[in-house]
Amino acid sequence: MAEPDAVQTFEDGLTKIRGAYEQALRDATDEPELRLVNGRYVGPQGELTKLLKLMPKLPGDRRRELGQRANALKQEIQTTFDVVLDGIHRRARDAELTGPSLDVTLPGRWPMPGRLHPITRIRNEVLEILVSLGFDVADGPEIELYENCFDKLGFPPDHPATDEHDTFFIEGGKPSGPHSVLLRTQTSTIQVREMSRREPPLAIVSPGAVYRRDDDATHSPMFFQLEGFLVDTDVTFAELKGVLTLFLRRLFDEHVAVRFRASYFPFVEPGGEVDMSCVFCRAWEGDKERTTACRVCKGNGWMEILGCGMIHPVVFENVGYDPEKYTGFAFGMGLDRIAMLKYGIPNIKLLYDNDVRFLSQF
Ligand code: PHE
């Protein structure tokens, strides 16, 4: 049986939906919102869907006409939905085209992982070789007593290296005398410190920062040295030569030639400087033309690399060793200089500017 007010309900429903759907759909700002609003009319629980479920209750003579009106309205809602969705898509595309560009063909950006500084790398390489030969690693303070830096190493009081102009004295420390305090000018202080607290036999290497009032393309007021020394009974110059030759060949090239020149350091006797064949023109290969043109060794095929010698008996006396019983050798090198030679770096400042463009090449 048809209910008389079903017609009324149905017509009212159609009128209400017709008056509201268009604005509601057009107000949607994105696709999910549009679909939600659309569902309120034509979804499974939608207002129009509910009306259509009333159809069987309509009187037979009105059912066809009201059904057609409801279907037409459903069609209109669908058309409006399509138009609004199309607009939303077009606006999104326009925003992509006019907004900041995204080029998916560009290579990705790699993260910049940190890496070791060239001086740290050289220090590690040098230590690896010397530790494999049996040397222990020791450390010492950069702020040092004058006497450990000079007096106990046998520097005479008027030695030029002790000149205030070559040294940074610590303000507030004693201005002069054995107990004045300074930034160490050499890692040879470690000889004094380690020998004073240990008995031979000992073999020690010690890398670290040192300070001098120097500043040009090859000198920096702070730089790095590495000290090595060995004390035992019956140590000879031959062992010093053997250790340094093997060390330089492992570090640079197994073919490098090594030569020793007499030189003076107060804490060694005899003292020497070590040259090795130039690693830039590969002087050992004997290509005269290449060596003549070499700017690093200036054509002579050699470069100065470190200082060395047999530890002076006076140093042994100063640390309480019997100079009649013990002999030993010592050597010292600039780690900056070795890094510059090994990596072909022309100016020491590059090592301390911390420019990532430079450092990332190593
Ligand atoms: N300490 C010396 C310097 O700074 C280098 C050196 C070390 C020389 C050990 C001989 C032996 O110049």
Side-chain angles (χ1 to χ4, degrees):
M1 252 296 272
E3 294 169 29
D5 55 353
V7 172
Q8 193 62 45
T9 308
F10 201 89
E11 286 193 313
D12 287 351
L14 290 183
T15 308
K16 189 182 160 227
I17 295 169
R18 177 172 295 287
Y21 84 87
E22 185 159 357
Q23 197 55 49
L25 288 175
R26 288 194 188 280
D27 283 348
T29 52
D30 58 20
E31 187 170 338
E33 192 186 340
L34 176 65
R35 289 191 183 280
L36 195 77
V37 174
N38 193 52
R40 276 185 211 135
Y41 298 107
V42 295
Q45 303 296 320
E47 288 179 39
L48 187 57
T49 313
K50 281 184 190 158
L51 279 191
L52 288 167
K53 282 183 190 151
L54 285 182
M55 288 274 289
K57 294 185 177 162
L58 296 175
D61 57 337
R62 301 293 309 276
R63 199 177 289 159
R64 186 182 158 84
E65 178 230 331
L66 288 168
Q68 280 174 349
R69 278 169 60 191
N71 274 326
L73 181 58
K74 194 174 177 183
Q75 195 54 55
E76 282 170 41
I77 293 175
Q78 181 63 48
T79 306
T80 306
F81 172 84
D82 289 343
V83 169
V84 175
L85 184 62
D86 193 50
I88 286 172
H89 284 168
R90 212 177 21 245
R91 277 199 301 280
R93 223 173 21 249
D94 285 351
E96 251 172 45
L97 291 175
T98 57
S101 57
L102 171 72
D103 184 349
V104 294
T105 66
L106 281 175
R109 289 196 193 111
W110 289 91
M112 289 228 293
R115 67 179 75 203
L116 296 179
H117 191 278
I119 293 178
T120 307
R121 278 185 50 187
I122 281 290
R123 187 195 64 195
N124 292 351
E125 271 183 59
V126 165
L127 286 181
E128 205 170 292
I129 297 170
L130 291 166
V131 166
S132 81
L133 292 177
F135 286 84
D136 290 338
V137 181
D139 200 8
E142 292 168 27
I143 297 174
E144 184 56 280
L145 289 175
Y146 183 97
E147 63 181 357
N148 289 342
C149 199
F150 298 122
D151 295 339
K152 288 192 170 170
L153 286 166
F155 282 75
D158 57 349
H159 192 279
T162 68
D163 194 313
E164 286 183 37
H165 296 280
D166 289 331
T167 308
F168 295 101
F169 284 89
I170 301 295
E171 238 178 85
K174 289 213 171 109
S176 61
H179 298 297
S180 66
V181 178
L182 43 74
L183 295 178
R184 67 180 178 188
T185 61
Q186 51 185 355
T187 46
S188 301
T189 53
I190 303 298
Q191 291 187 40
V192 175
R193 286 181 165 270
E194 289 299 310
M195 286 193 240
S196 300
R197 65 181 197 94
R198 295 206 219 181
E199 288 298 312
L202 46 80
I204 287 166
V205 287
S206 183
V210 299
Y211 302 82
R212 292 185 193 176
R213 277 194 56 171
D214 269 342
D215 205 4
D216 60 36
T218 53
H219 296 90
S220 153
M222 188 220 55
F223 61 107
F224 288 88
Q225 278 192 337
L226 179 123
E227 192 82 4
F229 53 99
L230 179 149
V231 184
D232 201 347
T233 51
D234 305 315
V235 180
T236 70
F237 201 96
E239 283 153 311
L240 169 60
K241 256 184 115 166
V243 165
L244 289 181
T245 304
L246 189 138
F247 166 73
L248 291 173
R249 286 185 176 163
R250 280 218 199 144
L251 186 61
F252 287 100
D253 190 293
E254 58 176 323
H255 300 290
V256 294
V258 175
R259 74 177 184 189
F260 289 71
R261 274 183 295 110
S263 183
Y264 175 73
F265 301 95
F267 43 93
V268 285
E269 180 59 38
E273 260 164 70
V274 179
D275 298 337
M276 69 172 184
S277 33
C278 179
V279 288
F280 283 92
C281 61
R282 301 173 72 78
W284 61 86
E285 286 173 1
D287 183 336
K288 291 271 180 315
E289 247 172 70
R290 196 171 58 204
T291 295
T292 309
C294 181
R295 286 188 301 150
V296 178
C297 67
K298 305 204 170 61
N300 74 30
W302 294 99
M303 40 202 209
E304 197 182 305
I305 188 91
L306 52 84
C308 68
M310 300 305 290
I311 298 173
H312 200 291
V314 135
V315 178
F316 286 151
E317 271 166 22
N318 290 340
V319 299
Y321 287 0
D322 179 357
E324 297 299 326
K325 189 169 166 197
Y326 295 114
T327 47
F329 62 74
F331 55 90
M333 65 191 85
L335 289 175
D336 311 62
R337 179 160 164 74
I338 292 194
M340 288 168 75
L341 291 178
K342 184 129 190 204
Y343 299 129
I345 299 166
N347 190 319
I348 196 168
K349 299 289 179 297
L350 291 166
L351 289 171
Y352 297 112
D353 284 347
N354 285 335
D355 186 330
V356 175
R357 290 169 301 175
F358 168 75
L359 293 173
S360 62
Q361 294 172 42
F362 299 94

